[in-house]
Amino acid sequence: MAMVSMRQLLDEAAAGGYGVGAFNVNNMEQIQAIMEAARETSSPVIIQASRGARSYTNDRFLYHLMLAAVELYPEIPVALHQDHGNSPETCFSAIDQGFTSVMMDGSLLADHKTPSDFDYNVRVTREVVERAHAVGVTVEGELGTLGGIEDGVGSGEIHLTDPDQAVEFVEATGIDALAVAIGTSHGAYKFTRKPDGAVLAMNLIQEIHEKLPTTHLVMHGSSSVPKDLVDLINQYGGEIRQTWGVPVDEIQLGIRHGVRKINVDTDSRLAITGAIRKAMSEDPGEFDPRSYLKPARAAMQSVIAERMTQFGQAGHAGDYEPRSLADMRDFYAGATA
Ligand code: G3H
Ligand code: 13P
Ligand code: ZN
């Protein structure tokens, strides 16, 4: 099986009423953890790389690791997605590298810090849609901005998505999936107390879905920041402050109202870090990297498999025959003819 179109994965998820986790990767162990979790739960999956991940791995290493994943797990439909493309050029280079999906995040300017205006967002996103759809590649756009600022990504300001503007944006750009800002942020420090309706605007998702029933909605910043993972890190010398993530039941509510792609990175990072701290602390004389990377990989697999089950994608890997990108190109050409 080749890498598949994210659009097809999301269309199938919409038909089946479930969500698909999009998990960030930066190395071989993370890709292995996700693929093993997908096999364990029989899940289709989205693997995504940020700009930082692409420069850390070097695109060719990343792409060839993904080819190995596809070869070794032929029963798993897997899409490779550019997370938070900051400019059309970033998206075009991802397409050239073999990604089957790209996010043009025009909610911020190319510095990926300054909030942009609506016209800029429409212009750059439309430019990416035209080029991507011509080769069968899926496009995710974003309207509104998330909070949090990590590794220079994000403005740190939250601007919730306006439902009427979302309709205008989708019509003007032709995107396949829309990332909505509902009060989440990237990273571990999302909320200082368990989030409720006052901080997490789940009602916006319902409203946007009612206005745009065929657009796949995307929730960024969707790590749940499990307390046991934070506690494990702190037990072995870490210093993570008390914090709350997005409760899984809120994500499940979103899935009932059109959320099809759920972005998770922080939970994997926490799982890996806790396992490495524990292994190193319990056996300080050990210096074979496999002695801590193996438990780290297993810990990430465990949290990802749990999310796959909670999002509902488990059991759906074999539901459909993946379409080629050439086929998707014809699909888009037919849709705009
Ligand atoms: O969007 C944020 C993701 O967690 C990726 O983070 O830019 O540090 O790779 P990163
Ligand atoms: P988390 O930091 O909540 O895992 O969000 C990841 C994300 O949105 C990647 O685009
Ligand atoms: Zn994100």
Side-chain angles (χ1 to χ4, degrees):
M1 189 188 287
M3 273 176 254
V4 306
S5 145
M6 190 173 89
R7 170 66 187 261
Q8 188 190 8
L9 286 192
L10 300 183
D11 282 351
E12 292 287 345
Y18 59 91
V20 183
F23 303 106
N24 288 74
V25 296
N26 292 273
N27 59 32
M28 178 183 76
E29 285 78 4
Q30 289 183 302
I31 295 174
Q32 291 173 327
I34 295 167
M35 296 310 295
E36 277 297 308
R39 173 164 283 168
E40 186 189 326
T41 60
S42 188
S43 297
V45 70
I46 300 162
I47 292 187
Q48 60 186 9
S50 67
R51 272 197 307 152
R54 286 179 60 193
S55 87
Y56 175 78
T57 51
N58 178 307
D59 282 335
R60 299 321 290 157
F61 274 115
L62 179 68
Y63 187 68
H64 283 268
L65 285 169
M66 288 300 301
L67 287 183
V70 166
E71 183 186 319
L72 292 169
Y73 298 81
E75 79 282 18
I76 304 297
V78 46
L80 176 59
H81 175 77
Q82 162 81 59
D83 190 25
H84 291 284
N86 65 318
S87 65
E89 291 66 37
T90 297
C91 296
F92 298 153
S93 72
I95 294 169
D96 292 344
Q97 291 293 331
F99 284 58
T100 61
S101 178
V102 293
M103 175 186 191
M104 176 63 237
D105 182 359
S107 69
L108 301 169
L109 296 179
D111 66 7
H112 229 217
K113 287 184 172 50
T114 317
S116 66
D117 62 35
F118 184 76
D119 291 344
Y120 168 88
N121 196 355
V122 167
R123 180 167 54 77
V124 290
T125 307
R126 178 76 219 162
E127 189 184 338
V128 172
V129 167
E130 276 166 17
R131 185 120 148 222
H133 284 185
V135 289
V137 168
T138 311
V139 182
E140 172 185 339
E142 175 166 324
L143 191 62
T145 54
L146 277 78
I149 177 156
E150 293 226 324
D151 298 334
V153 176
S155 66
E157 289 170 43
I158 296 185
H159 297 280
L160 300 185
T161 307
D162 175 84
D164 290 321
Q165 211 177 39
V167 174
E168 208 184 322
F169 185 69
V170 168
E171 279 170 4
T173 57
I175 50 172
D176 303 277
L178 175 69
V180 290
I182 54 158
T184 65
S185 46
H186 289 126
Y189 300 107
K190 299 184 195 301
F191 308 109
T192 51
R193 62 185 167 88
K194 193 171 187 299
D196 54 23
V199 282
L200 206 50
M202 298 306 295
N203 58 314
L204 272 186
I205 294 211
Q206 297 187 25
E207 223 183 300
I208 295 168
H209 182 52
E210 274 162 28
K211 288 176 190 280
L212 290 167
T214 58
T215 301
H216 303 303
L217 303 182
V218 183
M219 269 176 74
H220 281 248
S222 292
S223 279
S224 300
V225 193
K227 189 173 175 316
D228 60 322
L229 297 184
V230 171
D231 286 349
L232 187 69
I233 292 175
N234 289 341
Q235 184 188 336
Y236 289 99
E239 292 182 6
I240 311 262
R241 302 192 304 277
Q242 191 175 53
T243 177
W244 277 266
V246 182
V248 168
D249 53 3
E250 296 292 330
I251 297 171
Q252 290 168 332
L253 175 66
I255 293 169
R256 289 198 290 280
H257 294 282
V259 169
R260 298 292 159 231
K261 173 173 180 276
I262 304 109
N263 282 17
V264 172
D265 187 359
T266 296
D267 284 353
S268 304
R269 294 177 176 194
L270 292 171
I272 287 170
T273 300
I276 290 179
R277 279 190 173 279
K278 181 171 186 285
M280 285 187 163
S281 157
E282 284 180 345
D283 198 352
E286 180 59 78
F287 56 90
D288 179 344
R290 289 171 297 192
S291 70
Y292 50 86
L293 291 178
K294 267 193 192 173
R297 186 173 60 188
M300 175 166 163
Q301 180 184 333
S302 160
V303 73
I304 300 283
E306 191 183 1
R307 294 291 172 272
M308 286 170 162
T309 303
Q310 291 163 331
F311 298 163
Q313 73 209 81
H316 289 286
D319 285 1
Y320 47 91
E321 222 22 74
R323 297 173 71 173
S324 68
L325 287 195
D327 207 15
M328 292 309 292
R329 182 192 59 207
D330 297 345
F331 161 80
Y332 289 122
T336 53

mmCIF file of all heavy atoms in Angstrom, residues 180-214:
data_model
loop_
_atom_site.group_PDB
_atom_site.id
_atom_site.type_symbol
_atom_site.label_atom_id
_atom_site.label_comp_id
_atom_site.label_asym_id
_atom_site.label_seq_id
_atom_site.Cartn_x
_atom_site.Cartn_y
_atom_site.Cartn_z
ATOM 1 N N VAL A 180 -9.969 24.775 13.577
ATOM 2 C CA VAL A 180 -10.740 25.816 14.256
ATOM 3 C C VAL A 180 -10.088 26.139 15.596
ATOM 4 O O VAL A 180 -9.530 25.273 16.258
ATOM 5 C CB VAL A 180 -12.202 25.370 14.477
ATOM 6 C CG1 VAL A 180 -12.944 25.307 13.151
ATOM 7 C CG2 VAL A 180 -12.294 24.027 15.191
ATOM 8 N N ALA A 181 -10.174 27.412 15.960
ATOM 9 C CA ALA A 181 -9.637 27.839 17.252
ATOM 10 C C ALA A 181 -10.799 27.923 18.219
ATOM 11 O O ALA A 181 -11.736 28.707 18.030
ATOM 12 C CB ALA A 181 -8.953 29.189 17.105
ATOM 13 N N ILE A 182 -10.760 27.076 19.256
ATOM 14 C CA ILE A 182 -11.878 27.031 20.214
ATOM 15 C C ILE A 182 -11.369 27.228 21.643
ATOM 16 O O ILE A 182 -12.067 26.918 22.606
ATOM 17 C CB ILE A 182 -12.637 25.689 20.113
ATOM 18 C CG1 ILE A 182 -11.663 24.512 20.265
ATOM 19 C CG2 ILE A 182 -13.411 25.597 18.809
ATOM 20 C CD1 ILE A 182 -12.334 23.228 20.708
ATOM 21 N N GLY A 183 -10.140 27.700 21.770
ATOM 22 C CA GLY A 183 -9.606 27.975 23.104
ATOM 23 C C GLY A 183 -8.503 27.035 23.540
ATOM 24 O O GLY A 183 -8.002 27.149 24.659
ATOM 25 N N THR A 184 -8.099 26.106 22.663
ATOM 26 C CA THR A 184 -6.982 25.234 23.030
ATOM 27 C C THR A 184 -5.666 25.921 22.653
ATOM 28 O O THR A 184 -5.647 26.908 21.921
ATOM 29 C CB THR A 184 -7.037 23.873 22.297
ATOM 30 O OG1 THR A 184 -6.875 24.092 20.897
ATOM 31 C CG2 THR A 184 -8.344 23.158 22.547
ATOM 32 N N SER A 185 -4.588 25.381 23.169
ATOM 33 C CA SER A 185 -3.267 25.892 22.806
ATOM 34 C C SER A 185 -2.304 24.723 22.695
ATOM 35 O O SER A 185 -2.576 23.626 23.201
ATOM 36 C CB SER A 185 -2.786 26.896 23.848
ATOM 37 O OG SER A 185 -3.002 26.388 25.134
ATOM 38 N N HIS A 186 -1.196 24.955 22.051
ATOM 39 C CA HIS A 186 -0.182 23.911 21.926
ATOM 40 C C HIS A 186 0.583 23.743 23.246
ATOM 41 O O HIS A 186 0.642 24.675 24.046
ATOM 42 C CB HIS A 186 0.825 24.280 20.824
ATOM 43 C CG HIS A 186 0.244 24.198 19.447
ATOM 44 N ND1 HIS A 186 0.283 25.225 18.543
ATOM 45 C CD2 HIS A 186 -0.410 23.187 18.821
ATOM 46 C CE1 HIS A 186 -0.310 24.864 17.421
ATOM 47 N NE2 HIS A 186 -0.747 23.630 17.550
ATOM 48 N N GLY A 187 1.178 22.572 23.407
ATOM 49 C CA GLY A 187 2.075 22.369 24.542
ATOM 50 C C GLY A 187 1.364 21.834 25.779
ATOM 51 O O GLY A 187 0.169 21.521 25.762
ATOM 52 N N ALA A 188 2.111 21.720 26.869
ATOM 53 C CA ALA A 188 1.594 21.089 28.099
ATOM 54 C C ALA A 188 0.743 22.035 28.930
ATOM 55 O O ALA A 188 -0.147 21.601 29.652
ATOM 56 C CB ALA A 188 2.759 20.568 28.935
ATOM 57 N N TYR A 189 1.019 23.350 28.838
ATOM 58 C CA TYR A 189 0.336 24.292 29.751
ATOM 59 C C TYR A 189 -0.867 24.940 29.064
ATOM 60 O O TYR A 189 -0.821 26.079 28.619
ATOM 61 C CB TYR A 189 1.333 25.336 30.247
ATOM 62 C CG TYR A 189 2.477 24.687 30.982
ATOM 63 C CD1 TYR A 189 3.750 24.605 30.413
ATOM 64 C CD2 TYR A 189 2.272 24.099 32.233
ATOM 65 C CE1 TYR A 189 4.788 23.966 31.077
ATOM 66 C CE2 TYR A 189 3.303 23.456 32.901
ATOM 67 C CZ TYR A 189 4.564 23.393 32.317
ATOM 68 O OH TYR A 189 5.581 22.753 32.970
ATOM 69 N N LYS A 190 -1.935 24.187 28.964
ATOM 70 C CA LYS A 190 -3.116 24.682 28.250
ATOM 71 C C LYS A 190 -4.061 25.407 29.202
ATOM 72 O O LYS A 190 -4.532 26.491 28.911
ATOM 73 C CB LYS A 190 -3.867 23.513 27.602
ATOM 74 C CG LYS A 190 -3.023 22.746 26.572
ATOM 75 C CD LYS A 190 -3.860 21.672 25.908
ATOM 76 C CE LYS A 190 -3.012 20.653 25.165
ATOM 77 N NZ LYS A 190 -2.177 21.250 24.115
ATOM 78 N N PHE A 191 -4.351 24.755 30.334
ATOM 79 C CA PHE A 191 -5.341 25.299 31.263
ATOM 80 C C PHE A 191 -4.814 25.187 32.690
ATOM 81 O O PHE A 191 -4.107 24.238 33.022
ATOM 82 C CB PHE A 191 -6.664 24.519 31.161
ATOM 83 C CG PHE A 191 -7.177 24.408 29.753
ATOM 84 C CD1 PHE A 191 -7.154 23.190 29.079
ATOM 85 C CD2 PHE A 191 -7.678 25.522 29.080
ATOM 86 C CE1 PHE A 191 -7.622 23.077 27.765
ATOM 87 C CE2 PHE A 191 -8.147 25.416 27.778
ATOM 88 C CZ PHE A 191 -8.110 24.201 27.113
ATOM 89 N N THR A 192 -5.196 26.152 33.527
ATOM 90 C CA THR A 192 -4.745 26.111 34.922
ATOM 91 C C THR A 192 -5.769 25.427 35.821
ATOM 92 O O THR A 192 -5.575 25.305 37.022
ATOM 93 C CB THR A 192 -4.471 27.535 35.449
ATOM 94 O OG1 THR A 192 -5.622 28.324 35.148
ATOM 95 C CG2 THR A 192 -3.238 28.134 34.776
ATOM 96 N N ARG A 193 -6.896 25.026 35.235
ATOM 97 C CA ARG A 193 -7.873 24.197 35.961
ATOM 98 C C ARG A 193 -8.582 23.341 34.913
ATOM 99 O O ARG A 193 -8.441 23.591 33.711
ATOM 100 C CB ARG A 193 -8.869 25.056 36.737
ATOM 101 C CG ARG A 193 -9.703 25.963 35.852
ATOM 102 C CD ARG A 193 -10.606 26.881 36.670
ATOM 103 N NE ARG A 193 -11.167 27.950 35.855
ATOM 104 C CZ ARG A 193 -12.296 27.867 35.165
ATOM 105 N NH1 ARG A 193 -12.984 26.742 35.146
ATOM 106 N NH2 ARG A 193 -12.737 28.887 34.460
ATOM 107 N N LYS A 194 -9.321 22.344 35.374
ATOM 108 C CA LYS A 194 -10.018 21.470 34.434
ATOM 109 C C LYS A 194 -10.923 22.335 33.555
ATOM 110 O O LYS A 194 -11.747 23.084 34.081
ATOM 111 C CB LYS A 194 -10.855 20.442 35.203
ATOM 112 C CG LYS A 194 -11.364 19.305 34.339
ATOM 113 C CD LYS A 194 -11.991 18.220 35.220
ATOM 114 C CE LYS A 194 -12.368 16.970 34.467
ATOM 115 N NZ LYS A 194 -13.334 17.091 33.415
ATOM 116 N N PRO A 195 -10.748 22.289 32.232
ATOM 117 C CA PRO A 195 -11.492 23.218 31.383
ATOM 118 C C PRO A 195 -12.991 22.917 31.341
ATOM 119 O O PRO A 195 -13.388 21.763 31.328
ATOM 120 C CB PRO A 195 -10.861 23.023 30.008
ATOM 121 C CG PRO A 195 -10.273 21.666 30.045
ATOM 122 C CD PRO A 195 -9.876 21.402 31.468
ATOM 123 N N ASP A 196 -13.785 23.977 31.341
ATOM 124 C CA ASP A 196 -15.234 23.815 31.184
ATOM 125 C C ASP A 196 -15.676 24.726 30.034
ATOM 126 O O ASP A 196 -14.842 25.262 29.308
ATOM 127 C CB ASP A 196 -15.959 24.169 32.490
ATOM 128 C CG ASP A 196 -15.577 25.565 32.969
ATOM 129 O OD1 ASP A 196 -15.152 26.385 32.124
ATOM 130 O OD2 ASP A 196 -15.709 25.841 34.174
ATOM 131 N N GLY A 197 -16.973 24.899 29.882
ATOM 132 C CA GLY A 197 -17.517 25.696 28.783
ATOM 133 C C GLY A 197 -16.992 27.116 28.748
ATOM 134 O O GLY A 197 -17.015 27.783 27.713
ATOM 135 N N ALA A 198 -16.497 27.614 29.896
ATOM 136 C CA ALA A 198 -16.027 28.996 29.960
ATOM 137 C C ALA A 198 -14.692 29.173 29.237
ATOM 138 O O ALA A 198 -14.370 30.273 28.793
ATOM 139 C CB ALA A 198 -15.892 29.429 31.414
ATOM 140 N N VAL A 199 -13.913 28.101 29.128
ATOM 141 C CA VAL A 199 -12.605 28.240 28.468
ATOM 142 C C VAL A 199 -12.498 27.453 27.163
ATOM 143 O O VAL A 199 -11.654 27.750 26.321
ATOM 144 C CB VAL A 199 -11.445 27.822 29.413
ATOM 145 C CG1 VAL A 199 -11.141 28.912 30.410
ATOM 146 C CG2 VAL A 199 -11.715 26.505 30.091
ATOM 147 N N LEU A 200 -13.340 26.458 27.000
ATOM 148 C CA LEU A 200 -13.280 25.614 25.804
ATOM 149 C C LEU A 200 -14.597 25.780 25.048
ATOM 150 O O LEU A 200 -15.641 25.328 25.504
ATOM 151 C CB LEU A 200 -13.080 24.153 26.236
ATOM 152 C CG LEU A 200 -12.421 23.188 25.287
ATOM 153 C CD1 LEU A 200 -11.116 23.735 24.738
ATOM 154 C CD2 LEU A 200 -12.149 21.876 26.008
ATOM 155 N N ALA A 201 -14.550 26.444 23.893
ATOM 156 C CA ALA A 201 -15.786 26.829 23.193
ATOM 157 C C ALA A 201 -16.271 25.709 22.269
ATOM 158 O O ALA A 201 -16.282 25.847 21.044
ATOM 159 C CB ALA A 201 -15.556 28.123 22.416
ATOM 160 N N MET A 202 -16.708 24.587 22.878
ATOM 161 C CA MET A 202 -17.168 23.454 22.072
ATOM 162 C C MET A 202 -18.425 23.818 21.281
ATOM 163 O O MET A 202 -18.698 23.232 20.235
ATOM 164 C CB MET A 202 -17.446 22.230 22.958
ATOM 165 C CG MET A 202 -16.245 21.698 23.703
ATOM 166 S SD MET A 202 -14.833 21.327 22.651
ATOM 167 C CE MET A 202 -15.454 20.009 21.648
ATOM 168 N N ASN A 203 -19.178 24.805 21.795
ATOM 169 C CA ASN A 203 -20.385 25.239 21.084
ATOM 170 C C ASN A 203 -20.038 25.776 19.687
ATOM 171 O O ASN A 203 -20.815 25.664 18.738
ATOM 172 C CB ASN A 203 -21.130 26.297 21.900
ATOM 173 C CG ASN A 203 -20.245 27.500 22.187
ATOM 174 O OD1 ASN A 203 -19.085 27.331 22.591
ATOM 175 N ND2 ASN A 203 -20.756 28.684 21.967
ATOM 176 N N LEU A 204 -18.838 26.359 19.563
ATOM 177 C CA LEU A 204 -18.415 26.884 18.251
ATOM 178 C C LEU A 204 -18.294 25.766 17.233
ATOM 179 O O LEU A 204 -18.618 25.920 16.060
ATOM 180 C CB LEU A 204 -17.045 27.562 18.373
ATOM 181 C CG LEU A 204 -17.004 29.039 18.738
ATOM 182 C CD1 LEU A 204 -15.574 29.543 18.654
ATOM 183 C CD2 LEU A 204 -17.899 29.838 17.785
ATOM 184 N N ILE A 205 -17.783 24.623 17.692
ATOM 185 C CA ILE A 205 -17.642 23.468 16.790
ATOM 186 C C ILE A 205 -19.008 23.068 16.247
ATOM 187 O O ILE A 205 -19.174 22.858 15.048
ATOM 188 C CB ILE A 205 -16.975 22.285 17.535
ATOM 189 C CG1 ILE A 205 -15.546 22.697 17.881
ATOM 190 C CG2 ILE A 205 -17.077 20.988 16.746
ATOM 191 C CD1 ILE A 205 -14.536 21.624 17.934
ATOM 192 N N GLN A 206 -19.969 22.997 17.143
ATOM 193 C CA GLN A 206 -21.324 22.613 16.710
ATOM 194 C C GLN A 206 -21.860 23.610 15.693
ATOM 195 O O GLN A 206 -22.436 23.242 14.674
ATOM 196 C CB GLN A 206 -22.270 22.563 17.911
ATOM 197 C CG GLN A 206 -21.865 21.522 18.922
ATOM 198 C CD GLN A 206 -22.901 21.347 20.031
ATOM 199 O OE1 GLN A 206 -24.065 21.627 19.853
ATOM 200 N NE2 GLN A 206 -22.466 20.856 21.167
ATOM 201 N N GLU A 207 -21.640 24.897 15.978
ATOM 202 C CA GLU A 207 -22.158 25.945 15.095
ATOM 203 C C GLU A 207 -21.471 25.893 13.720
ATOM 204 O O GLU A 207 -22.126 25.992 12.680
ATOM 205 C CB GLU A 207 -21.872 27.305 15.754
ATOM 206 C CG GLU A 207 -23.028 28.264 15.682
ATOM 207 C CD GLU A 207 -22.654 29.610 16.295
ATOM 208 O OE1 GLU A 207 -22.318 29.652 17.493
ATOM 209 O OE2 GLU A 207 -22.675 30.599 15.553
ATOM 210 N N ILE A 208 -20.168 25.710 13.736
ATOM 211 C CA ILE A 208 -19.428 25.669 12.468
ATOM 212 C C ILE A 208 -19.835 24.425 11.672
ATOM 213 O O ILE A 208 -20.034 24.480 10.454
ATOM 214 C CB ILE A 208 -17.898 25.708 12.720
ATOM 215 C CG1 ILE A 208 -17.519 27.056 13.349
ATOM 216 C CG2 ILE A 208 -17.118 25.475 11.424
ATOM 217 C CD1 ILE A 208 -16.107 27.125 13.903
ATOM 218 N N HIS A 209 -19.993 23.312 12.373
ATOM 219 C CA HIS A 209 -20.373 22.070 11.687
ATOM 220 C C HIS A 209 -21.765 22.188 11.061
ATOM 221 O O HIS A 209 -22.004 21.685 9.959
ATOM 222 C CB HIS A 209 -20.323 20.902 12.674
ATOM 223 C CG HIS A 209 -20.656 19.578 12.054
ATOM 224 N ND1 HIS A 209 -20.028 19.109 10.909
ATOM 225 C CD2 HIS A 209 -21.545 18.609 12.408
ATOM 226 C CE1 HIS A 209 -20.530 17.922 10.594
ATOM 227 N NE2 HIS A 209 -21.441 17.601 11.476
ATOM 228 N N GLU A 210 -22.668 22.879 11.753
ATOM 229 C CA GLU A 210 -24.013 23.063 11.181
ATOM 230 C C GLU A 210 -23.950 23.893 9.908
ATOM 231 O O GLU A 210 -24.663 23.642 8.938
ATOM 232 C CB GLU A 210 -24.938 23.736 12.203
ATOM 233 C CG GLU A 210 -25.585 22.717 13.125
ATOM 234 C CD GLU A 210 -26.140 23.341 14.399
ATOM 235 O OE1 GLU A 210 -26.513 24.534 14.371
ATOM 236 O OE2 GLU A 210 -26.193 22.628 15.423
ATOM 237 N N LYS A 211 -23.050 24.885 9.887
ATOM 238 C CA LYS A 211 -22.932 25.749 8.704
ATOM 239 C C LYS A 211 -22.106 25.096 7.598
ATOM 240 O O LYS A 211 -22.255 25.419 6.422
ATOM 241 C CB LYS A 211 -22.282 27.087 9.085
ATOM 242 C CG LYS A 211 -23.205 27.984 9.908
ATOM 243 C CD LYS A 211 -22.471 29.258 10.330
ATOM 244 C CE LYS A 211 -23.259 30.063 11.350
ATOM 245 N NZ LYS A 211 -24.325 30.880 10.781
ATOM 246 N N LEU A 212 -21.182 24.205 7.987
ATOM 247 C CA LEU A 212 -20.274 23.584 7.011
ATOM 248 C C LEU A 212 -20.282 22.062 7.215
ATOM 249 O O LEU A 212 -19.271 21.473 7.618
ATOM 250 C CB LEU A 212 -18.839 24.103 7.219
ATOM 251 C CG LEU A 212 -18.549 25.547 6.855
ATOM 252 C CD1 LEU A 212 -17.187 25.975 7.412
ATOM 253 C CD2 LEU A 212 -18.567 25.735 5.334
ATOM 254 N N PRO A 213 -21.409 21.413 6.925
ATOM 255 C CA PRO A 213 -21.510 19.993 7.282
ATOM 256 C C PRO A 213 -20.553 19.069 6.526
ATOM 257 O O PRO A 213 -20.276 17.966 6.992
ATOM 258 C CB PRO A 213 -22.975 19.650 6.957
ATOM 259 C CG PRO A 213 -23.458 20.739 6.065
ATOM 260 C CD PRO A 213 -22.650 21.953 6.344
ATOM 261 N N THR A 214 -20.026 19.519 5.376
ATOM 262 C CA THR A 214 -19.145 18.606 4.627
ATOM 263 C C THR A 214 -17.675 18.981 4.757
ATOM 264 O O THR A 214 -16.815 18.358 4.115
ATOM 265 C CB THR A 214 -19.530 18.572 3.130
ATOM 266 O OG1 THR A 214 -19.437 19.900 2.607
ATOM 267 C CG2 THR A 214 -20.938 18.044 2.927
#
